[in-house]
Amino acid sequence: MTAVIMAAAEAVSVVKDGDTVLVGGFGMAGMPVELIDALIEHGAGDLTIVSNNAGNGDTGLAALLAAGRVRKVVCSFPRQSDSWVFDGLYRAGKIELEVVPQGNLAERMRAAGAGIGAFFSPTGVGTPLAEGKESRVIDGREYVLEYPIRGDVALIRAHVADRMGNLVYRKTARNFGPVMATAAAVTIAQVSRIVDIGALDPEAVVTPAIFVNRLVAVSAPAASSAPTAPAASSAPTAPAASSAPADRQEPA
Amino acid sequence: MSLSREEMAANVARDIPDGAYVNLGIGQPTTVADYLRPGSGVILHTENGMLGMGPPATGHEIDPDLTNAGKQPVTELPGASYFHHADSFAMMRGGHLDVCVMGAFQVSVTGDLANWSTGAPDAIPAVGGAMDLAIGAKQVFVMMTLFAKDGRPKLVPECTYPLTGRGCVSRVYTDVATFAIGAEGVRVVETFGISVEELISSLCIPLVSSPEI
């Protein structure tokens, strides 16, 4: 089934208490701020959030943490100059933290999306992050066994989608989006524009529609200055195609 | 005279081979880019998904969708490419990245690296991509002062801080000497305002010196 275009509130209503939610972005680049805002409004709690960082400033992921909806964060780098919301919760013992090396974080989600049961990674060998994990020497090199990270839901931000759900991204805002899209039972992509089927160059599609379930158009996302009008220089989209308003509903 | 940070960065840049694919870590290592020879053909990798990273963005160039690993706005050079995180780290683990440059709390005589945690009980642990870079890049260059603020050497017999990677560092660029770490142990490549004898007496490690020193 191809992706369904929804308003943000309806799209995130699939998230249940206790879910594991994969949240795209590296800092604010690629952060689906409007989907997170809708998730806060939706009210699901006791969440495990998997994301590279643990929120920046007071918006996006930081706002979700501040709202008290998150039980555990799985990330590579929670400590930043503007991560005061997470810092406060962590020091107060109100949130669990699992620190995962960034490449293992990406690969564990890739494994989940690709049906891999577990994999041996050289990253982290001999460090505290490998303690208690099974290891094996293969061809003279030591590796640590790492398990997949699956999401119930992934919230990602891409640049342009077609109505099938095929996605293209913009610059380094791509980061975890394509990997997370494969690793969750339901993937919700926030995009700046939704174009007609056939308007994306199939050779330029980064995330094929099979990995995308729900599309939410946000024409001027808070975390991006991406041009929303078709620009000659950002040209994976062929002809200028129709742009769906944020509240556009499409039958399944 | 011991070296300034800028001179240390220039030393690192001088040893990066022309045409290499290079990842410069957050902080001081980022400044190595300023000393790469024009026309060197060195291609910068940033782990958040780009090869062909250009200088920092200013003014109208600033684009929140185009940042480096330190989340600073940067620019793209002709021939740049973007990719997702799993591909970006495959470039490290898969042995495709020629050099990475990182800072360190400690480096051991066998090239163990400690640069992500001091193990302090009140610190929030955060590792980012350091462990993947440490074991992935073909060569790991470390850039640091040789002595901590309290005067203790940071090139040590064995790291006391939690490790980032084992046996991964090949070169250490400091303010008073440059070292190469290999099968023969730690070799002093060059000194700055200090003699090899002084180095030996202030570091508690065996040192081999290059014949030219």
Side-chain angles (χ1 to χ4, degrees):
Chain A
M1 196 171 74
T2 57
V4 183
I5 300 170
M6 293 180 175
E10 185 186 4
V12 302
S13 66
V14 69
V15 179
K16 306 178 303 298
D17 287 350
D19 272 359
T20 294
V21 182
L22 316 180
V23 178
F26 185 90
M28 294 305 280
M31 173 78 69
V33 172
E34 283 74 8
L35 293 183
I36 297 168
D37 287 346
L39 180 58
I40 295 169
E41 190 70 22
H42 166 56
D46 196 29
L47 302 173
T48 293
I49 297 294
V50 183
S51 195
N52 188 61
N53 304 106
N56 301 79
D58 292 302
T59 58
L61 205 45
L64 184 69
L65 297 178
R69 307 292 166 68
V70 181
R71 180 177 64 80
K72 180 179 179 182
V73 170
V74 180
C75 73
S76 86
F77 207 82
R79 187 185 64 224
Q80 297 185 275
S81 58
D82 61 351
S83 59
W84 49 78
V85 173
F86 176 82
D87 287 20
L89 291 168
Y90 183 78
R91 293 187 195 288
K94 289 182 176 166
I95 200 159
E96 281 178 60
L97 170 66
E98 179 183 349
V99 171
V100 180
Q102 202 170 130
N104 282 355
L105 187 66
E107 196 65 13
R108 288 173 66 185
M109 288 188 277
R110 199 197 72 80
I116 302 297
F119 60 95
F120 282 102
S121 171
T123 301
V125 168
T127 78
L129 298 188
E131 277 168 17
K133 293 183 176 177
E134 192 176 332
S135 69
R136 185 178 298 182
V137 175
I138 302 169
D139 287 338
R141 189 176 194 194
E142 189 175 343
Y143 296 82
V144 176
L145 188 63
E146 295 287 351
Y147 289 90
I149 298 174
R150 284 190 187 80
D152 296 297
V153 180
L155 307 181
I156 65 171
R157 176 157 70 78
H159 183 38
V160 180
D162 70 11
R163 290 171 180 281
M164 299 281 288
N166 293 306
L167 303 179
V168 295
Y169 297 80
R170 190 165 178 278
K171 303 183 185 286
T172 58
R174 180 183 305 194
N175 58 69
F176 282 93
V179 180
M180 288 180 170
T182 69
V186 177
T187 291
I188 307 172
Q190 168 184 330
V191 294
S192 302
R193 284 190 293 142
I194 300 173
V195 298
D196 285 337
I197 292 169
L200 289 180
D201 175 359
E203 294 283 6
V205 168
V206 174
T207 294
I210 194 169
F211 297 122
V212 181
N213 305 97
R214 298 176 175 204
L215 290 174
V216 175
V218 177
S219 60
S224 175
S225 67
T228 50
S233 62
S234 63
T237 62
S242 67
S243 183
D247 58 352
R248 170 81 182 249
Q249 302 286 314
E250 183 154 284
Chain B
M1 270 289 282
S2 61
L3 300 186
S4 66
R5 289 170 169 187
E6 292 74 18
E7 290 166 322
M8 285 161 62
N11 276 351
V12 175
R14 194 186 56 196
D15 286 352
I16 292 176
D18 284 359
Y21 287 102
V22 176
N23 184 296
L24 301 176
I26 297 169
Q28 282 298 310
T30 303
T31 65
V32 170
D34 300 338
Y35 300 94
L36 292 169
R37 188 178 58 75
S40 68
V42 168
I43 297 159
L44 296 182
H45 171 265
T46 182
E47 60 262 36
N48 51 319
M50 180 187 198
L51 279 168
M53 179 174 65
T58 55
H60 71 279
E61 294 171 332
I62 292 172
D63 180 341
D65 285 346
L66 179 48
T67 65
N68 65 12
K71 303 175 177 79
Q72 312 295 314
V74 291
T75 53
E76 69 182 30
L77 296 177
S81 56
Y82 296 108
F83 34 84
H84 61 66
H85 252 81
D87 278 354
S88 184
F89 283 76
M91 291 175 193
M92 300 176 198
R93 266 189 257 101
H96 309 282
L97 194 67
D98 296 301
V99 177
C100 85
V101 184
M102 289 193 277
F105 298 138
Q106 289 176 327
V107 176
S108 84
V109 291
T110 55
D112 291 353
L113 172 66
N115 74 351
W116 72 286
S117 166
T118 58
D122 62 334
I124 296 174
V127 68
M131 288 186 181
D132 309 274
L133 278 166
I135 58 85
K138 287 182 200 162
Q139 289 197 81
V140 175
F141 291 177
V142 161
M143 196 180 156
M144 65 181 191
T145 56
L146 186 56
F147 300 96
K149 287 192 181 110
D150 64 5
R152 281 190 291 183
K154 292 154 80 173
L155 188 57
V156 293
E158 202 169 334
C159 294
T160 54
Y161 290 139
L163 288 192
T164 306
R166 275 201 315 229
C168 55
V169 176
S170 51
R171 289 221 161 207
V172 182
Y173 296 84
T174 78
D175 48 342
V176 294
T178 300
F179 304 90
I181 300 179
E184 83 278 18
V186 180
R187 183 165 55 84
V188 182
V189 177
E190 208 174 344
T191 59
F192 312 102
I194 192 171
S195 69
V196 174
E197 292 67 33
E198 286 171 300
L199 269 182
I200 288 171
S201 69
S202 55
L203 300 175
C204 308
I205 57 169
L207 290 174
V208 181
S209 61
S210 295
E212 62 269 26
I213 296 182

